[in-house]
Amino acid sequence: QTMEAPGSDASSEVNSSFSMASSFRHQSNFNPPPPEKPQPVLVKDSKHKPKTLGSFGVLIVGLGGANGTTLLAGVIANRLKLDWFGPKGEPMTANYNGCITQLNQKGVHGGVGYRDRVKGLADASMAAIGGWDIRPTKPGDALFQQQILDYDMVRQVRDEMNKVKVFRGVYDPRFIGPSQHETATHFLSKSEAPTDSEALKCLRADIRYFKWRNGVVGHTTVIWSASVEPNSELLPNLKTANELLEAIELDEAERGGPIPPSILYATAALLEGCSFINGGSQNTVSCPGLVDLAQQQLGVYCLGTDFKAGQTKFKTAALEYIRTMGLTPRVVASSNHLGNNDMRNLASAKKASEAKLRVKHDIFAPWQEDELDHKVSIMFTEFINDDKRDFVEYTSLGFLGQPHTMVTYTRASDSVLCVPLMIDGAVWCDYFGGRSWPLDKVARALSYLFKVPEGAAKGVDPGFFRQMQELENQVLAAHESKSSSGSVGSSIGQSGTTLTKSTTKKRVRIRPEEKATEWAIPHNASVVCAGLACVDMQLFHATGGGGEQIESFEGERSIGGGSVSMACKTLARLCHGAPLDENYLQATPPVVNAVIPICKVGCDSTGDKLIKLLEECGEECRNVDTKFIKTQRLKDRSARTALAVLPIYDDGRRGCFFDAAGNSDFSPIEVVETLNSIASRSSGPSVNFSHLSAEESENYHADLEQMSPVCGAFLFGYPHLLPLIQGEKLLQVLLEARGVLIDGGITAVDLNGVPEDLFDGRPRTARQLRADPILGAALEHIDILHLNEDELVLLTGYELSESDQDDLIVAQAANLFLECGVGVVAVTRGRKGSYVACNDAARFQRTPMLPDSWADRATRVSSVNLPPGTIINTNGAGDAYTSGLLVAALLRHTGMTVQDSPQANPAKSDASSVISGSSATQSVSAEKKKKMMSPYTLYMRENYVTLKQQCNDDKKAIFSMCHDMWENETPEIKSLYERRAAEENGEDEGNKMSMRVMDDLEALEESSGFSSPYVSQPQPSQEEQAHMTNKSLNLESAAQFASLVAAYHIDVATREHNHVDINKLLKRAIVYRKGVDEM
């Protein structure tokens, strides 16, 4: 089935999911290789080459039919650049005539093709082609038997076509004419697919196998080109995706009728992230649940109905001409006859023929020409074969009611007319899918392909030229969204067409170009966030204090609550640099490639809202992946989603009404099932591979592990509030998660809801802590544990007295968890900052992903000094801190210094490039000395406000004047500031600097490239950069980074930002300022 392309072993890189695995993906640590060897590639392995370089996929239902074999033959002929002789001996050569995605523009005014007009259109010769059929005939033999194309060409492609394996199809004799029953021998047996749900699993396995076997890089589209089915009365009643999937699970008696095979193919395609095109006349796309399923994913489309290839296409153009001329169309009478297999099926199946005539009669319905008499006659004439003939007469009323009649006659191969639409449909789905263009816009754009556009395109203008104009509008708009040029009115073609940027911000995902960064997470790894989740509904200006009277409130706002929501919000908005395109909200690559939530979500309106809120967390980068919880929620339709109603009273009081709902019975089995789905790239139950050969199944599973999404960390939140995931069950979840994570990853647990009755005033021992019914069994498998000061007291029994001894008590209490096997313990203490303590080197060796430089270290970090008057909201601060510390533990230096870009100038890159590697024996007190307030920084801080007024907020002038003042100061004055800086650095408050001053520093550096003296450093040499590769942040910098992440969360002014530049955070967080030499 492999569609090997000439030159597929070329050395050019392919940006694909296969290329994401690092060359050191399965090593146990991140130590750089010896200097004489090439440095490892952090983000992708360019040596991997898919079998079809740059390909997209086309899966055809009815591959052995006239359309399927003609398409396959045409692609192979073009790929091999074949020449042959026609029936009269005339020389012929392969081309893509009729495929507007493969043709260039022509003439002075352009038009015709899009190939040279927009970038990103796939080359049809690179298509990987496969499909299903209920007949066992090999495609090349089928093409020979059909006698459609020139024999001299058929003989050259026959053997190559026969190499393409045809999957066995789904067969239900009720949905196909009697003339097809005898030859239907190549289908899934009852033992392989006893039910519709099992058949769906087999089709999904076929799709996965096809993409794996062919190394498909781009989008895959499933096209129905099989015989027309009778219309189903059941489909219009399936209003939602949930109802559709539930109907497939039920037996025929329970759902009230049979499921057509076409709906199984369409559902399988959408669940596997592929598009579906209905080229037949049946009402597949009229199923609202199918459209709803497509709308739940970005860049996946469900389109139809019935390809508009010949007679009908010209009808829509001719009638549009008649109406545009001001004439009144009254009669369109047409007949067509041919003898291909599709017509043979219609001749033997009355209900299928009715479905075909419905489409042909309904093509002009949106025009509401009530007096138009449109008649269609279709006839089966076996001798004519695929050489279709049609005759149409158009009668209209002209000036003074006088008749106006036109007649057209067409003769052409039906499959030769249809195949270009199939190729264009697949290429357009790949093009729009790569830009995540919305379904409704794509449906309107591709309405020109279909006799009756249905689903999301229902009701569009049927005029051919109107539809082609809509295609052009959407293609150019999607192209503009992808363009990396920021200029207004950038040219995109040779026709003189110019794109003008809209002033309206468009909420679309744009895949940015790969960006060089100094710090990145190895393997572009994802983070899984599991635990408690709910919707927090805030009621503003609430009244009342109890009683039965009616109370009021003014407005409400719903936000995501619980550990999962808060962690997703924090992780999803961390990005490398500033937004690249503010007009289209294009963001630079996120720090965390994908954030995958696992939580209990019910099939209720609150669940819909929670999923929407989770997706909105990552709307800037589209990196929150909710498909797994969408699938999991369907398994328990009675579950309810947790809801917290939070009245905020005018007198300052706050209330809380909490319904834990599904969190109360959220089980470890559900978490493990979802983890397994993530590991196997499956959003549903296990798949039946029994219809594949043993070798194919073994090869598929062997390579599937390499293709699985790379997950680097598992963050579990609030076990005290999840009664079924505690003790041994929590241990089970962590062990299962460890098996999914690359190199074992990092497991983190965030606490909340620790009951107050645990505290008895007596310090607990490590042995007692191991016996804790909630955490005890899992402690030695937790790599990072976060708890706040109050929770530390409740769990350990140590009391704090608000004295100087509290720091020591916190350290002693945290050591209890280290004795129990926890890798890193992080304690947040509100305004008193945070304390992080790490276990010994032996414990760190068990978790290779943890930075080994953290072992045997501890640090205290003061709280971030927010500007006076800052409004704060501490809800979720602990979750943000935990997420920040987890990211800091994952980050590794890429060995690059990014300079001379809007996102990272030399000053910034240098400040960000100082990394771990210092001695592991430095003490906590050494941290205070290392993060020093320099004499110049102190001098600048004291003079900043005055200079700001004198220079009228001109930041460059401020720095220039301050620098000149400092250079002209006497040695005595500089010595004075040196002593004062030394004194301040000896106090906890000495390492704080106003965020507002730092913002001004960074704003000036970003806007002008000007760097202030206190961050001015020479650029690292190549040898130094090589030494820095794969080094981690030191513990002090990591803790400071986590504090800054939390500060951005609690500051109301930045809390709702969907984009946080980690370069700015790292600049503030990095402790060592003297470069690599200090290491």
Side-chain angles (χ1 to χ4, degrees):
Q1 189 172 357
T2 303
M3 303 304 301
E4 293 280 7
S8 63
D9 58 347
S11 60
S12 59
E13 293 187 5
V14 179
N15 198 8
S16 75
S17 59
F18 288 80
S19 304
M20 290 302 188
S22 165
S23 60
F24 55 96
R25 173 171 170 172
H26 292 294
Q27 295 179 10
S28 61
N29 57 59
F30 298 101
N31 293 326
E36 66 273 14
K37 295 183 179 180
Q39 289 296 314
V41 180
L42 186 71
V43 178
K44 70 179 187 180
D45 180 5
S46 62
K47 295 180 180 179
H48 178 86
K49 299 299 175 189
K51 294 182 176 64
T52 49
L53 185 65
S55 72
F56 63 104
V58 183
L59 279 165
I60 301 169
V61 185
L63 179 60
N67 290 343
T69 55
T70 300
L71 187 150
L72 181 55
V75 168
I76 293 176
N78 276 278
R79 182 181 297 158
L80 301 179
K81 297 181 172 57
L82 293 184
D83 296 315
W84 68 93
F85 293 103
K88 297 180 180 180
E90 66 274 24
M92 309 285 281
T93 186
N95 60 60
Y96 281 112
N97 286 346
C99 303
I100 62 176
T101 61
Q102 305 301 301
L103 301 177
N104 293 333
Q105 300 177 95
K106 293 182 181 179
V108 178
H109 301 290
V112 181
Y114 284 88
R115 184 72 182 170
D116 59 344
R117 195 175 182 191
V118 294
K119 296 180 180 179
L121 288 178
D123 183 353
S125 297
M126 292 290 97
I129 301 171
W132 301 265
D133 208 294
I134 58 175
R135 298 174 186 81
T137 310
K138 295 180 178 180
D141 297 339
L143 180 68
F144 175 77
Q145 295 170 10
Q146 289 156 0
Q147 301 179 14
I148 297 172
L149 301 178
D150 299 333
Y151 169 74
D152 193 30
M153 190 200 85
V154 173
R155 70 173 182 82
Q156 297 184 66
V157 299
R158 184 175 181 178
D159 290 342
E160 188 69 23
M161 291 176 63
N162 281 341
K163 296 178 183 178
V164 177
K165 176 183 175 180
V166 183
F167 293 120
R168 281 175 286 168
V170 175
Y171 176 63
D172 187 334
R174 294 171 294 182
F175 287 95
I176 195 169
S179 63
Q180 312 296 306
H181 293 178
E182 183 178 352
T183 56
T185 60
H186 187 68
F187 52 84
L188 295 170
S189 66
K190 283 295 182 183
S191 61
E192 294 168 329
T195 63
D196 289 325
S197 62
E198 291 301 316
L200 177 66
K201 295 176 188 177
C202 290
L203 295 178
R204 295 183 66 182
D206 290 339
I207 294 171
R208 292 192 206 119
Y209 178 82
F210 166 79
K211 292 196 286 187
W212 163 77
R213 185 69 178 85
N214 291 279
V216 175
V217 175
H219 191 73
T220 296
T221 301
V222 176
I223 302 176
W224 177 274
S225 186
S227 298
V228 176
E229 297 174 330
N231 286 329
S232 169
E233 297 180 357
L234 176 66
L235 298 187
N237 299 322
L238 303 176
K239 302 297 185 184
T240 67
N242 291 345
E243 292 179 5
L244 170 62
L245 297 176
E246 185 178 42
I248 294 175
E249 292 291 333
L250 299 175
D251 60 38
E252 188 172 320
E254 291 175 319
R255 65 176 170 246
I259 289 285
S262 62
I263 206 71
L264 296 178
Y265 285 102
T267 304
L270 298 179
L271 290 176
E272 290 302 318
C274 306
S275 294
F276 176 79
I277 293 177
N278 179 28
S281 305
Q282 67 275 0
N283 63 340
T284 308
V285 184
S286 294
C287 175
L290 194 65
V291 177
D292 182 40
L293 185 61
Q295 287 175 328
Q296 291 182 5
Q297 304 180 67
L298 283 171
V300 173
Y301 310 111
C302 180
L303 308 167
T305 294
D306 199 348
F307 284 125
K308 185 167 58 180
Q311 178 195 81
T312 308
K313 181 177 289 187
F314 191 83
K315 277 184 183 179
T316 59
L319 212 63
E320 185 175 9
Y321 157 76
I322 291 171
R323 297 177 78 244
T324 303
M325 293 295 293
L327 306 180
T328 303
R330 296 300 298 270
V331 177
V332 178
S334 63
S335 66
N336 66 75
H337 60 281
L338 69 164
N340 62 13
N341 192 58
D342 185 45
M343 192 61 72
R344 179 182 287 106
N345 173 66
L346 294 176
S348 67
K350 181 180 179 181
K351 289 186 177 181
S353 180
E354 291 173 354
K356 185 75 171 180
L357 291 174
R358 171 192 75 91
V359 170
K360 286 184 170 287
H361 284 299
D362 287 353
I363 60 175
F364 303 124
W367 274 338
Q368 297 180 339
E369 292 282 359
D370 297 332
E371 297 182 349
L372 175 62
D373 188 4
H374 181 208
K375 292 291 192 297
V376 182
S377 173
I378 54 175
M379 295 169 283
F380 172 63
T381 52
E382 186 171 7
F383 178 78
I384 299 299
N385 195 10
D386 197 57
D387 196 20
K388 180 179 182 179
R389 323 289 170 84
D390 70 59
F391 175 93
V392 187
E393 181 183 88
Y394 306 85
T395 300
S396 308
L397 297 180
F399 186 60
L400 299 178
Q402 300 303 300
H404 174 280
T405 300
M406 300 191 313
V407 175
T408 61
Y409 173 74
T410 305
R411 174 178 174 177
S413 167
D414 193 51
S415 59
V416 170
L417 288 172
C418 191
V419 163
L421 302 185
M422 298 169 67
I423 292 175
D424 282 346
V427 173
W428 285 132
C429 286
D430 177 74
Y431 174 81
F432 286 118
R435 290 149 178 80
S436 295
W437 213 238
L439 171 61
D440 59 330
K441 293 183 179 181
V442 175
R444 294 200 306 270
L446 302 189
S447 61
Y448 81 97
L449 296 172
F450 308 107
K451 291 184 176 70
V452 179
E454 293 185 310
K458 187 175 180 62
V460 300
D461 192 311
F464 174 72
F465 298 104
R466 294 284 184 90
Q467 292 175 348
M468 296 305 291
Q469 183 60 53
E470 180 66 22
L471 171 68
E472 181 177 19
N473 294 342
Q474 296 299 335
V475 168
L476 297 185
H479 180 278
E480 182 184 9
S481 76
K482 182 75 172 180
S483 174
S484 60
S485 172
S487 61
V488 177
S490 57
S491 176
I492 63 155
Q494 300 174 3
S495 66
T497 304
T498 299
L499 299 180
T500 302
K501 285 190 177 291
S502 168
T503 57
T504 304
K505 295 181 179 180
K506 298 175 174 59
R507 292 287 176 179
V508 297
R509 182 183 67 185
I510 303 167
R511 295 176 182 173
E513 299 299 326
E514 200 169 306
K515 178 181 173 63
T517 59
E518 293 187 44
W519 294 91
I521 296 177
H523 323 300
N524 210 16
S526 304
V527 175
V528 180
C529 300
L532 185 138
C534 65
V535 173
D536 287 349
M537 180 183 292
Q538 299 174 336
L539 309 180
F540 301 109
H541 302 292
T543 64
E548 298 183 0
Q549 67 271 23
I550 295 177
E551 306 295 353
S552 65
F553 63 92
E554 297 177 13
E556 61 88 17
R557 178 172 179 253
S558 293
I559 61 174
S563 169
V564 172
S565 301
M566 293 298 180
C568 284
K569 180 183 181 67
T570 301
L571 294 169
R573 68 178 187 163
L574 297 177
C575 290
H576 293 293
L580 296 178
D581 187 343
E582 179 62 23
N583 192 45
Y584 282 87
L585 298 184
Q586 178 178 348
T588 55
V591 175
V592 181
N593 179 53
V595 183
I596 306 173
I598 301 179
C599 53
K600 189 75 171 188
V601 183
C603 294
D604 51 12
S605 59
T606 307
D608 295 337
K609 182 176 292 186
L610 178 57
I611 290 176
K612 182 180 179 182
L613 289 169
L614 289 171
E615 291 172 341
E616 287 176 353
C617 293
E619 65 179 356
E620 193 79 39
C621 301
R622 301 294 184 187
N623 59 336
V624 175
D625 187 351
T626 59
K627 67 174 176 286
F628 297 104
I629 56 174
K630 286 179 179 177
T631 301
Q632 193 69 27
R633 73 193 292 214
L634 301 178
K635 298 180 180 180
D636 185 1
R637 298 178 182 276
S638 62
R640 295 181 298 108
T641 308
L643 175 66
V645 180
L646 310 171
I648 302 173
Y649 299 103
D650 286 331
D651 59 5
R653 291 180 298 118
R654 291 173 179 258
C656 180
F657 301 89
F658 181 59
D659 177 12
N663 287 306
S664 299
D665 56 7
F666 188 32
S667 70
I669 295 176
E670 295 173 272
V671 179
V672 171
E673 284 181 350
T674 309
L675 286 170
N676 291 335
S677 296
I678 295 171
S680 64
R681 305 188 72 187
S682 169
S683 59
S686 59
V687 177
N688 182 2
F689 289 95
S690 60
H691 64 300
L692 299 180
S693 69
E695 181 181 1
E696 290 170 339
S697 181
E698 181 180 354
N699 290 338
Y700 174 86
H701 283 96
D703 279 20
L704 187 61
E705 182 180 353
Q706 302 295 327
M707 295 167 51
S708 298
V710 181
C711 296
F714 177 77
L715 173 57
F716 189 83
Y718 304 0
H720 287 85
L721 300 177
L722 298 169
L724 299 187
I725 311 180
Q726 298 176 349
E728 294 291 338
K729 300 299 184 183
L730 177 59
L731 170 62
Q732 176 190 356
V733 167
L734 294 181
L735 291 176
E736 291 289 343
R738 184 82 74 185
V740 171
L741 305 179
I742 184 169
D743 293 332
I746 296 176
T747 59
V749 173
D750 185 19
L751 301 187
N752 197 353
V754 177
E756 295 185 3
D757 57 10
L758 282 178
F759 183 76
D760 57 7
R762 291 177 296 177
R764 302 172 76 179
T765 64
R767 182 176 181 179
Q768 290 173 318
L769 200 55
R770 290 191 189 97
D772 183 89
I774 310 298
L775 300 175
L779 285 175
E780 64 177 326
H781 296 279
I782 298 175
D783 297 325
I784 298 177
L785 176 66
H786 167 260
L787 64 169
N788 64 30
E789 191 175 66
D790 295 333
E791 291 157 349
L792 182 72
V793 169
L794 293 174
L795 287 169
T796 63
Y798 281 84
E799 288 192 76
L800 300 179
S801 58
E802 299 296 328
S803 68
D804 294 339
Q805 296 299 313
D806 283 356
D807 287 349
L808 178 60
I809 295 172
V810 167
Q812 291 174 339
N815 282 339
L816 282 181
F817 291 98
L818 299 182
E819 290 180 38
C820 294
V822 176
V824 178
V825 179
V827 183
T828 47
R829 306 181 62 196
R831 295 184 180 274
K832 290 174 283 188
S834 62
Y835 174 77
V836 182
C838 302
N839 218 315
D840 57 25
R843 171 61 180 84
F844 269 59
Q845 288 177 358
R846 288 167 40 199
T847 307
M849 288 285 281
L850 282 175
D852 53 9
S853 66
W854 291 14
D856 285 316
R857 295 291 307 279
T859 185
R860 292 188 182 90
V861 175
S862 301
S863 61
V864 175
N865 185 25
L866 295 173
T870 300
I871 301 174
I872 65 172
N873 179 355
T874 59
N875 183 29
D879 304 278
Y881 182 94
T882 309
S883 301
L885 187 62
L886 179 59
V887 168
L890 290 169
L891 286 175
R892 298 294 185 270
H893 203 284
T894 64
M896 296 181 289
T897 52
V898 183
Q899 45 186 314
D900 297 329
S901 70
Q903 284 75 39
N905 55 43
K908 291 187 69 174
S909 65
D910 193 67
S912 302
S913 64
V914 185
I915 56 176
S916 175
S918 56
S919 171
T921 61
Q922 289 175 295
S923 65
V924 173
S925 61
E927 180 268 345
K928 299 177 183 178
K929 296 179 182 178
K930 289 295 181 182
K931 189 171 177 61
M932 293 187 297
M933 177 72 73
S934 71
Y936 176 82
T937 306
L938 182 59
Y939 181 85
M940 170 114 184
R941 190 178 71 174
E942 292 189 355
N943 290 281
Y944 185 80
V945 176
T946 302
L947 291 173
K948 192 173 183 180
Q949 295 173 348
Q950 292 177 358
C951 298
N952 296 322
D953 255 351
D954 185 339
K955 295 181 175 60
K956 187 169 185 178
I958 294 172
F959 285 112
S960 298
M961 183 176 293
C962 186
H963 180 66
D964 292 339
M965 290 168 57
W966 177 255
E967 291 298 320
N968 293 323
E969 291 291 357
T970 64
E972 291 77 15
I973 295 296
K974 291 184 178 180
S975 178
L976 172 65
Y977 277 95
E978 288 174 358
R979 290 195 300 271
R980 291 184 57 188
E983 292 172 359
E984 284 209 18
N985 289 329
E987 300 172 2
D988 285 346
E989 296 298 316
N991 60 6
K992 295 181 181 179
M993 186 174 183
S994 168
M995 266 192 177
R996 186 162 292 161
V997 175
M998 284 296 295
D999 288 338
D1000 288 337
L1001 286 166
E1002 290 162 354
L1004 179 60
E1005 291 165 6
E1006 290 174 1
S1007 62
S1008 65
F1010 179 86
S1011 81
S1012 57
Y1014 90 100
V1015 294
S1016 178
Q1017 298 284 347
Q1019 291 301 311
S1021 66
Q1022 291 184 352
E1023 292 78 9
E1024 291 171 336
Q1025 290 181 17
H1027 184 61
M1028 292 158 62
T1029 302
N1030 292 328
K1031 288 299 194 323
S1032 62
L1033 287 167
N1034 57 42
L1035 181 62
E1036 293 79 7
S1037 300
Q1040 187 69 29
F1041 177 83
S1043 296
L1044 288 165
V1045 170
Y1048 269 77
H1049 180 82
I1050 68 173
D1051 187 345
V1052 172
T1054 57
R1055 185 183 182 89
E1056 300 305 322
H1057 289 181
N1058 288 327
H1059 180 282
V1060 175
D1061 181 1
I1062 69 158
N1063 292 334
K1064 292 183 178 181
L1065 300 187
L1066 288 171
K1067 179 176 178 180
R1068 300 179 188 179
I1070 297 293
V1071 171
Y1072 304 109
R1073 298 253 176 203
K1074 295 184 181 179
V1076 179
D1077 292 339
E1078 186 176 7
M1079 293 161 44

